[in-house]
Structure formats: C-alpha cells, structure tokens
Amino acid sequence: MPYTITSLSLTVSDDIKILQQIAKSVTEIIGYKPFHATRLTTCAMELARNVIEHGRGGYARLSLHEPRGGNVVLRMNFADQGDGIDDPQAVLSGHDDARSSGPGMGLGLAGVQRMADDFEIDTGSSGTHVRADFTAPIETSDMADCAEIAGNRCDEILMRESNSDRRIRQLETELSARELAINEVHHRTANNLTMISSLIRLEQRRATEGETSDVLASLGIRVEAMARTHKLLQTGEAETVGARAYLQQISALAVTFNRTDLTVAVDVEGDDTPIPARLALDLGLITGELITNAFKHAFEGRSTGQITIGLTTDGEMIHYRFCDDGKGLEDGQQPERSGSLGWRMIRATVSGNLGKLHVDGSNGMCVEMSFPIAS
C-alpha cells in the first residue's frame, strides 16, 4: 500500500525553496546517497518551477509505494491548473517548449524523465499531471516507519516556513485537488454509462419481440439518466443540478428510445433552480419511466400526443408535475399501487426523498409529486 509523506501547495516562488528543504530532508531520512539525493531534489524543484511558472499553480505530493520490480519507490506527483501541453512528446524530447527551458535550472520535463526510474505525464485542458518514481534504498518492511518519520520532519518544515497566507493557499490547493478528483470520477462514470447505453440501443434495434424492445427502452433511459447527471456534475458547481435543463435532456432521450410510429411533443416548464444531484437523478429516472408508460398506454389508436412536465420550487419544497393528454385511467385504476417494476421504483423514489405522490386520471393522466429541497 502507498504511504503518503506530505503534500504541498505550489503557487509562489518561495514554495520552491520550501520544497527543496522537504526533498533534502526526505532523501536524507530514506538514506539516498548524496549524488542520488541531489538528482532527486533537482527534479522536484524543476517540476515545482513548471507548476508555478507555466501551470498557474498546483500542488506536489511525496509518497512511498510498494516495490516495483523488487524495489520500493519514492513517488513525486505534481499537478498544475494550466491549459495543458499541446505536444507532450515534443516537450519530452526537449524541443521548443517553455516547459523545457526558461528561467530557473532549465532542466525541464525531458531532463526529469531521464533522471527518474519511471515517469508518466497526463495533460489536457484541465491541467497537467506528472508522476516521477525514484528507487528508494529501503526494504518494504521499513516503508511505514520511514514515511512517518519523513512526514513529521516535513510538518516541522511547513510549520516553520508557513504563515497564515500559506495555510490558506494550502487549504485552497487541497480543495482544488479534491474537486478535480471528483470531476474525474464523474467524467469516467458518465463515459462508461454512455457506452452501456449505446450497447443497449444496439440490442434494442436487433430485438424482434415488442416486449424485449420495451424492456431495453426502459433500461436504456435509466442508464442515460444516470450518465446525464454525471456529465452535468462534471461541468457544474458543487453537488447540484439545474433540473429544468436536465429534464429536457432526459425527455428528449426518452422519446428516442420509444416508438417511432408515434409523435409526442414534450414540453418542460418551470424554473431552473439548482436542486440536489441525487434528487435530480431520481426525477430523471421518474420522468423516463412516465414517458415510457405514456408511449405504451396513453395514446392507443393515435399517432400524436402531448406531454407537459412542470418543475417549480416554492420555499423549501420542490413541486413536480407530469401530465399527458391521453385516454386517462379507467374507474378504479390506481397505477401508483401497481406491482410493476416501474411504479415500484417510482414509489420507492418518492418515499426515499420524503416526498408525496398524487395521481389523477380523469383527464389524461397527471402525476404530481412534492419534495423537501433538503431531502
């Protein structure tokens, strides 16, 4: 398992000097020979310079990792908040890039790559991440103790060199790193779900039985609803979603999954007040389910139909309304008490969000729900 030694925010040139002290202390505690310690410290300073001068700041993290090829490694991770590197291969070959030369030692990423035992770079519009591994002269059994001793020494250095401004910057960097990690999770999850949805759509097109096609349509809409939520969270702020725009996306997707011989206009009305992501996802699943049910049952014998979806906030409550202009419900019919998977999911979702559910089938079918915002 990895053992973290320390993390350090990198925003001003003085941070490079602090990192130099940290690198020297860590290499001394781990037992690097002076030549190797100097090489490692030089690499750390050069990577820090790149982060500050070319990457709009970021952070560094030092840690010990399990043996690779029989050796423990000291791992240095650096991440910046820049626009990425257009041609990383050109940079690593030492050609024509500010990250390969410029003020400071001029070692550049190409030099770090040559000195490190293992090197990896990941760059994009959200920033550049660099990992450099250096074989450490310790045994696996000594990793935990070395990491603890080195971490304590680093804490002493940071406390000695830190001031209130630096502590604030450190907290901001840690928060930024957390947000980047969360965005990456949402990005990968959304991509995986979109791929699953595409596979479902392919299978739906190949289905020869109507029941099979309906089941795949319902499943595809549910998966797409989850994917859309993660995509919105990836680009949005905090853990909220603009529900109206999200429901418009889900409605459009639900229509594409359903019958091609029926034209249904779906209007989404109301405000776009951000609501908790978990509730938005649940409303997306409910919307997909209700649209699918309407395509199946509401418009029998017709080639067109109308669905209206409303979402408004009122103080601490969210009100959701789904109405179609279909044939409505027969006397005594209560779909909200149905044992079907879809309605069981709807009831469980409403209950799980501390909401209320009301169904009226006298003029088309209208489903109304209300939820506390803090559900």
Side-chain angles (χ1 to χ4, degrees), residues 271 273 311-319 371-373:
D271 56 43
T273 302
L311 185 77
T312 58
T313 54
D314 178 18
E316 296 298 315
M317 297 296 293
I318 296 171
H319 302 284
F371 308 92
I373 291 179

Side-chain angles (χ1 to χ4, degrees), residues 3 16 39 42 57 69 72 85-86 92 110 116 132 139-140 155 191 199 235-237 258 261 279 293 309 329 343 345:
Y3 294 91
I16 300 176
R39 286 167 61 96
T42 300
V72 176
I85 302 173
D86 291 336
L92 295 179
E139 300 295 329
T140 305
D155 288 343
N191 285 348
L199 293 173
T235 57
E237 297 181 1
N258 282 290
D261 61 338
L279 178 57
N293 286 341
I309 301 169
L329 301 175
W343 275 102
M345 183 273 290

Side-chain angles (χ1 to χ4, degrees), residues 203-250:
E203 291 298 324
Q204 184 191 15
R205 289 172 181 165
R206 294 170 54 187
T208 57
E209 298 293 333
E211 184 178 358
T212 302
S213 180
D214 289 344
V215 170
L216 289 173
S218 296
L219 181 59
I221 295 167
R222 292 166 188 165
V223 173
E224 279 283 6
M226 296 177 189
R228 292 284 166 167
T229 304
H230 286 287
K231 286 180 180 178
L232 289 173
L233 286 173
Q234 179 192 346
T235 57
E237 297 181 1
E239 290 295 306
T240 60
V241 167
R244 180 171 175 269
Y246 169 63
L247 291 179
Q248 286 175 328
Q249 295 180 28
I250 299 302

